[in-house]
Amino acid sequence: MQQIHEITGLHVDILKQCLKAMEKEDLVAQTAGGFLFASVEYTIKKQGHLKAAKLMNENSYMGMALVTYDEYFKIMEVQLQGRYPIDILHKVVEKAFREVVGMAYPKKVLTESAIGVKGFFIYGPP
């Protein structure tokens, strides 16, 4: 289960629903697991392999579950409702950056991102 979560990025509750549905369709079978659903292990059955092969023919993408930008924006809007802007005291910001000399604009961007005003993208070598 943990491997599926890491590959797809889907929440465990969503995976649980999907895997239960796949069990009903005889695509997967539980092989091991404990009390917690996250520790359950599955195997792909013959019917599951056939369906996976068909789907891989149509689209071979394997990784994080994709959503459209519009769907993502709607989801984020609901999740962030009432959460920002966060009020951070000026002295807290000063304390966080007390060892950073100069860099006024990057500090401003990081602070604004932390309170939810805007995001940022970091690129280049570490």
Side-chain angles (χ1 to χ4, degrees), residues 78-96:
V78 170
Q79 286 183 0
L80 295 175
Q81 243 174 5
R83 289 180 139 182
Y84 70 90
I86 299 169
D87 188 23
I88 300 176
L89 299 174
H90 186 67
K91 65 182 178 182
V92 172
V93 175
E94 284 180 359
K95 184 178 178 183

Side-chain angles (χ1 to χ4, degrees), residues 30-57:
Q30 184 176 336
T31 56
F35 176 70
L36 299 173
F37 186 76
S39 67
V40 175
E41 293 180 18
Y42 286 87
T43 189
I44 301 173
K45 296 175 94 174
K46 183 177 181 179
Q47 195 66 15
H49 278 287
L50 294 172
K51 186 164 187 168
K54 179 183 175 210
L55 293 172
M56 288 295 284
N57 247 356

Side-chain angles (χ1 to χ4, degrees), residues 59-76:
N59 184 347
S60 61
Y61 176 78
M62 206 181 221
M64 292 290 176
L66 299 176
V67 295
T68 65
Y69 178 78
D70 290 337
E71 289 172 18
Y72 175 78
F73 189 79
K74 286 177 192 173
I75 292 166
M76 292 309 296

